[in-house]
């Protein structure tokens, strides 16, 4: 298992996620993000808007995803 925080995944807090694959951890942070949004959390709303901005460019989004994937893979196993 590897560990990444909400912040590292383009979020807005220090919540820690554990997963075996990047896809898995990205899914967890996405779920957490939408839960926070439903609570009306402004910090996560801001982070989400940033991501939406990034998603307008498929190239930038792919690059972001690749970079995070690399970051995840370079992490030590727990
Ligand atoms: Zn968070």
């Amino acid at each position: 298992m590897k560990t990444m925080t909400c912040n590292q995944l383009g979020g807005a807090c220090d919540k820690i996620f554990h997963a075996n694959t990047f896809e898995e951890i990205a899914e967890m942070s996405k779920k957490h993000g939408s839960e926070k949004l439903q609570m009306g959390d402004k910090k996560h709303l801001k982070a989400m808007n940033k991501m939406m901005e990034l998603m307008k460019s498929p190239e930038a989004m792919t690059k972001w995803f690749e970079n995070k994937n690399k970051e995840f893979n370079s992490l030590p196993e727990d």
Side-chain angles (χ1 to χ4, degrees), residues 6 12-13 32 44:
C6 179
C13 72
H32 158 77
H44 285 78

CSV table of all heavy atoms in Angstrom, one decimal, residues 6 12-13 32 44, ligand 1:
chain,number,residue,atom,x,y,z
A,6,CYS,N,-4.9,14.3,0.5
A,6,CYS,CA,-5.8,15.0,-0.3
A,6,CYS,C,-5.1,16.2,-1.0
A,6,CYS,O,-5.3,16.4,-2.2
A,6,CYS,CB,-6.9,15.5,0.7
A,6,CYS,SG,-8.2,16.5,-0.1
A,12,ALA,N,-7.6,19.7,-0.8
A,12,ALA,CA,-7.5,20.9,0.0
A,12,ALA,C,-7.3,20.6,1.5
A,12,ALA,O,-7.5,21.5,2.3
A,12,ALA,CB,-8.7,21.8,-0.2
A,13,CYS,N,-7.0,19.3,1.9
A,13,CYS,CA,-6.8,19.1,3.3
A,13,CYS,C,-5.7,18.0,3.4
A,13,CYS,O,-5.2,17.5,2.4
A,13,CYS,CB,-8.1,18.7,4.0
A,13,CYS,SG,-8.7,17.1,3.5
A,32,HIS,N,-13.9,11.5,-1.7
A,32,HIS,CA,-13.8,12.4,-0.6
A,32,HIS,C,-14.1,13.8,-0.9
A,32,HIS,O,-14.8,14.6,-0.2
A,32,HIS,CB,-12.3,12.2,0.0
A,32,HIS,CG,-11.9,13.4,0.8
A,32,HIS,ND1,-12.3,13.6,2.1
A,32,HIS,CD2,-11.0,14.4,0.5
A,32,HIS,CE1,-11.7,14.7,2.5
A,32,HIS,NE2,-10.9,15.2,1.6
A,44,HIS,N,-12.3,22.9,-0.5
A,44,HIS,CA,-12.4,21.9,-1.5
A,44,HIS,C,-13.1,22.4,-2.8
A,44,HIS,O,-12.8,21.9,-3.9
A,44,HIS,CB,-13.1,20.6,-0.9
A,44,HIS,CG,-12.2,19.9,0.0
A,44,HIS,ND1,-12.0,20.2,1.3
A,44,HIS,CD2,-11.5,18.8,-0.2
A,44,HIS,CE1,-11.2,19.4,1.9
A,44,HIS,NE2,-10.9,18.5,1.0
B,1,LIG,ZN1,-9.7,16.9,1.5
